Amino acid sequence: MLTLEQIESAILQLSPNEYQKLLEWFADLDYQRWDEQLEKDIADGKLEAFAQEAIAEFEAGNCQAI
């Protein structure tokens, strides 16, 4: 496995086009992992309190349409 230092060095040697592709790939990976973590947190009930608070605010009329 490559070290972080080796990966950083390789990134610095990429052409602008390759670098752009890497950025897009990394952003997609980051979004995918974020979505997976969010789904896990939802399944584990970690967001339930936030959902209940949002519903209570809505029912109290404290929400505005954007």
Side-chain angles (χ1 to χ4, degrees):
M1 173 163 277
L2 297 174
T3 66
L4 179 57
E5 193 172 278
Q6 291 170 318
I7 294 168
E8 289 171 346
S9 178
I11 290 171
L12 292 174
Q13 296 176 40
L14 294 174
S15 70
N17 186 46
E18 291 173 320
Y19 180 73
Q20 184 61 40
K21 288 180 181 179
L22 176 64
L23 284 177
E24 292 170 9
W25 174 85
F26 198 78
D28 288 342
L29 177 64
D30 191 45
Y31 291 135
Q32 178 185 358
R33 288 186 175 180
W34 188 87
D35 284 345
E36 289 169 0
Q37 183 63 53
L38 182 61
E39 290 294 327
K40 182 179 181 315
D41 289 348
I42 290 169
D44 291 346
K46 292 181 179 179
L47 303 177
E48 187 62 29
F50 293 117
Q52 293 304 320
E53 182 180 345
I55 291 168
E57 288 291 316
F58 176 78
E59 289 175 347
N62 296 331
C63 297
Q64 297 177 3
I66 297 176

